[in-house]
Each structure stands twice: as C-alpha cells, then as structure tokens.
Amino acid sequence: MTAGAAWRQMLRESRGARGRLVFFVACLAVGVAAVVAVAGLSASLDQGIRGEARQLLAADLAVEGNRPLPPALERAAAAIPGARLTRVRELVTVVAAPPRTIGGRAHPGPSQLVELKVVDGHYPFYGTLDVRPRRPLAALLAPDAAVAAPELLEKLGVAAGGTLRIGGRDFRVAGTVRAEPDRLSISPRLGPRVFLSGAGLARTGLLGRGSRVEHRLLLKLADGEAPGRVEAAAARLRRAAAGATESFRIETWKEAQPNLREALGDVERFLGLVALLSLFIGGIGVAQSVRAWLAGRLDAIAVLKCLGMRPREALGLYLGQTVLLGLAGSLAGIAAGAAVQWALPSLFPDLIPAELIRPWQPLALLRGLALGVGVAVLFSLLPLADVLRVPPARVLRRDAEPLPRTRWVAAATLAALVAGVLAMAAAQSG
C-alpha cells in the first residue's frame, strides 16, 4: 500500500468515530501537559539560577561550614592577591518586642523565630541588597542597631526606629531589608531576616555553648572575571582545608545555591513521576478508546482483508492512525503545558518568580512529545493486536470465531508494554 493510499484509508477509518478519537486526544493531552509543565518549570528555574549565579552567591568564591574557619584556611584566603573578604555568620534565634504595660502590669512583648545574619565587611560584592533607608549596610549596623525584615516589624508591632530585643539586649531598628541577592523567594525559610554586625552579636551572648552557627567567608577576587582565576583560588583553598573538607564546603559562583538546585532536582523527579503517572492513567483511557473504536471497525477490517490487505498491513494502518492521534494529543498537551507555565507565576507570585519562567523549553517540549506518542503506542498495542485476529469470514458470518491468538505476538506485546513503561519511568526520574 502506498503512503497516499494509506493516508486516504486512515481518513476514511476515522469517520463516524470522532467522539472516541477526541476522547483519545483529551486523555493524552492532560498527561502530556503535566509532564511539560513540570519539566519546563524546572528547566526555567535552573537556567535562572545559573544565569544569576554570581549574584546568588554574592561573591566570586565562598567557604561555608558549621564551625569557625581554621586559621590555615583564613590565612590562605587572606593571602590571595587582591582578594576582598567578608565574614558572615547565620543562626536561628528568637526576637521579641520590648515588654509592654497593660493594666498597670508589665507583660512580655510578642516574639518571632528569625534567621539572624551577622555581617563583618562589605556585603554584597555582587547583586543588590534592598535596604531602607538606601545606605550601605555597614553604615546602618552600629553595635546597638539592627536591620530587620518589614514583615517582622509588622508582626511584632515595632516601627522603624523602635526597639527589638535579641539575646536579652535591646537593638534599635536602623532600617528594613526587603531583598537579598543570595536569598531567593523560593528558598526555604525558618523566619524573617534580621541583620546584625559582629559587635552587635557579641553583645547578645548567642554564641554560647550549644549554639548552632553557619560560618561563611565571601571572597571577591581582583580579576574574578579572568578564565580559570576563580577555579585556581578555589583549588588553593581546598589544599589549605585538607583534612577538614567534611566540615567545610568551598564553592565558586558557578556552583551557587547547590542546596537549592538539589532540592529543585528532587522536586522535579517527584513531580515528574506524578505527571508520568497521570499520563499512564490517560494511557488507560487511550487503550479503552482504541478498543471501542476497533470494536466498531471489525467489519471494515474483514472487508480489507478480503480485498487483499495482509494482516500486518491492516495492523500498520491502525497503528499509523494511533501514532497520528498520539501526535495530535501530545501537541495539544504541549500547548496546555506551556500555558500552565505562563499562568503559574501570576497565580503564585510569592512562590514562583515570573522573571525566571521561560515557557519555551525545547527539551521539555520534546520530552512531552516523546512520552505522549510513546504512551499512545504502548497502551494501544494490546487492543491493536486484536486486528490480527479478525477473520475474513466475518464478511459472510458475523459470528465467525476470531483467529487463534499467536503466543509469541502476545508475549512480545506484553514485553514491549512493560519495557516501555519502565524506560519512561527511568527517563522521567533520572
């Protein structure tokens, strides 16, 4: 059979079954839309993180650990020619408003769990720290002053210029911080941000026994843009930290936000498998649609076989039509998935940054197309195999017994279905 004849025959075979074929396309489109939306959102966020990597680290190079940096590592960092250093410590603590007098009696002020960030030096080296008033952070952080997130002040009922109690000491609110370059809106948070200076932290006594502090050393190199310069400095620090690599992590701006990337990868794998499960459920609907469609075409298949069409040609005809329908369902799902990516930032502005979302992700679209067509073909194999069993004698007697099922055909069909499902699950989960 020529390609033109096969195409015309496919069009004829679709007549009278458009309702079932539309259901076929819809079942497939929903699952493909979920796959494309998950893959596209993950790719957009990963590209956004990589594109803003230097700003997200706020430096060319960073050393992080849960213990104070060893002297050898400090000396190695200070010995890098032209390097500027900033020491940052982060810990979680409780901040309270000053006591209040109600009915002539003193009552403790409301409190809130916060993330405390202590900065000694210039911060940030890259990116923008949005503080109000618009002054350098070092100029605002006097030993008795703090800079806090506006949502913290609102919850505690403290105005700018008021007082916060941190570690049993009072601090004047010298300003508010609205955004940090190395803290994304999608990053996990334990509480609002509060900035202190090193001298301010020393007043609080929070560094006592049992305190949990994250230590960071930010470095800005004089020629950080030079190829290989940052990697060479990182290698130098790793040699200095030999024997303590389990306690300290050294990362360049190209490796910024590794924890966030790993978390996004875990979320992508989980949601990707959920999306694949929805596609498989749609595949069950596809199989039922094909079975019902072929049940109404048994007489036509018998006539085609009487006219000289071989069984494998009849199978190829309906398989080709299934592939075309799978392609149509996948394209509809791709369009829906892209629309979901475009709409989600406006629905969840605090969770998904709109500036990072780019719905045009070729690899995500190709993945949706491949999985959609693959599911359409795989889940249609079992009902399509029944085309081989339609007897030509059905033209004369509708009660003619189907041809016997070939054992190797049934085994090959089932093996292909199982192998295909496993391969798609492996590809989707990484």
Side-chain angles (χ1 to χ4, degrees):
M1 181 182 296
T2 63
W7 174 252
R8 289 190 296 271
Q9 186 63 36
M10 288 180 190
L11 292 179
R12 283 194 291 268
E13 290 297 316
S14 65
R15 294 172 185 168
R18 287 189 173 87
R20 294 191 181 98
L21 301 184
V22 168
F23 181 72
F24 179 115
V25 171
C27 288
L28 206 58
V30 172
V32 172
V35 169
V36 170
V38 170
L41 283 173
S42 176
S44 294
L45 292 174
D46 186 67
Q47 289 175 6
I49 292 173
R50 293 180 185 276
E52 302 294 331
R54 201 183 294 267
Q55 287 77 14
L56 291 175
L57 190 62
D60 291 317
L61 192 63
V63 183
E64 300 183 8
N66 53 13
R67 294 187 302 173
L69 273 61
L73 193 55
E74 291 267 9
R75 289 193 297 269
I80 297 176
R84 297 172 59 190
L85 311 180
T86 292
R87 291 167 179 80
V88 178
R89 286 167 287 181
E90 297 186 22
L91 64 153
V92 177
T93 187
V94 174
V95 169
R100 300 175 181 178
T101 301
I102 302 176
R105 299 179 60 183
H107 294 269
S111 60
Q112 169 69 41
L113 189 71
V114 301
E115 293 182 351
L116 197 63
K117 192 167 191 174
V118 182
V119 179
D120 289 313
H122 181 79
Y123 173 85
F125 290 124
Y126 298 99
T128 302
L129 179 67
D130 187 3
V131 294
R132 309 294 169 82
R134 298 185 182 277
R135 296 172 58 192
L137 183 64
L140 296 173
L141 292 181
D144 62 344
V147 173
E151 60 267 24
L152 173 65
L153 302 182
E154 181 180 356
K155 183 169 184 177
L156 298 183
V158 177
T163 301
L164 289 177
R165 178 156 292 182
I166 306 173
R169 299 287 184 173
D170 289 338
F171 289 83
R172 175 178 52 86
V173 179
T176 58
V177 57
R178 301 174 183 272
E180 304 167 55
D182 54 349
R183 195 188 200 207
L184 295 177
S185 60
I186 57 176
S187 301
R189 304 182 182 188
L190 294 177
R193 177 70 82 194
V194 174
F195 280 88
L196 288 182
S197 65
L201 179 65
R203 291 181 59 223
T204 64
L206 293 175
L207 296 182
R209 183 179 179 87
S211 59
R212 183 178 179 84
V213 183
E214 183 76 17
H215 296 263
R216 299 177 64 200
L217 181 64
L218 304 181
L219 290 86
K220 182 181 186 301
L221 306 184
D223 51 354
E225 298 288 347
R229 183 76 172 97
V230 176
E231 285 74 11
R236 181 174 180 174
L237 294 179
R238 290 188 179 102
R239 289 193 297 270
T245 53
E246 294 183 358
S247 301
F248 300 96
R249 183 174 66 250
I250 300 170
E251 61 185 40
T252 66
W253 64 270
K254 294 181 180 179
E255 305 162 341
Q257 300 285 356
N259 294 334
L260 179 58
R261 289 182 185 176
E262 183 178 353
L264 285 176
D266 292 340
V267 171
E268 180 194 8
R269 283 188 286 273
F270 173 74
L271 293 181
L273 287 175
V274 173
L276 186 63
L277 180 61
S278 70
L279 185 57
F280 286 163
I281 293 174
I284 296 174
V286 164
Q288 295 303 319
S289 297
V290 172
R291 191 178 300 279
W293 171 43
L294 291 178
R297 306 302 301 169
L298 296 179
D299 294 342
I301 295 171
V303 170
L304 290 175
K305 289 186 175 182
C306 288
L307 293 177
M309 181 176 286
R310 298 177 180 179
R312 64 173 179 269
E313 291 178 337
L315 176 62
L317 176 69
Y318 288 96
L319 180 61
Q321 194 156 4
T322 299
V323 170
L324 291 178
L325 290 171
L327 186 61
S330 299
L331 292 177
I334 287 173
V340 168
Q341 296 177 63
W342 177 80
L344 277 179
S346 59
L347 296 176
F348 305 99
D350 295 334
L351 182 62
I352 302 176
E355 64 274 9
L356 296 184
I357 302 304
R358 298 175 179 85
W360 175 250
Q361 297 291 341
L363 292 180
L365 303 184
L366 288 175
R367 176 185 292 188
L369 183 65
L371 289 177
V373 175
V375 165
V377 172
L378 283 175
F379 281 78
S380 300
L381 285 179
L382 288 175
L384 284 174
D386 291 338
V387 172
L388 301 174
R389 304 181 60 210
V390 177
R394 185 182 174 88
V395 174
L396 302 176
R397 293 187 303 108
R398 285 199 167 188
D399 59 349
E401 291 291 330
L403 297 176
R405 187 185 301 273
T406 306
R407 186 171 300 176
W408 70 266
V409 171
T413 302
L414 185 60
L417 177 60
V418 173
V421 168
L422 292 177
M424 283 188 250
Q428 190 74 343
S429 67

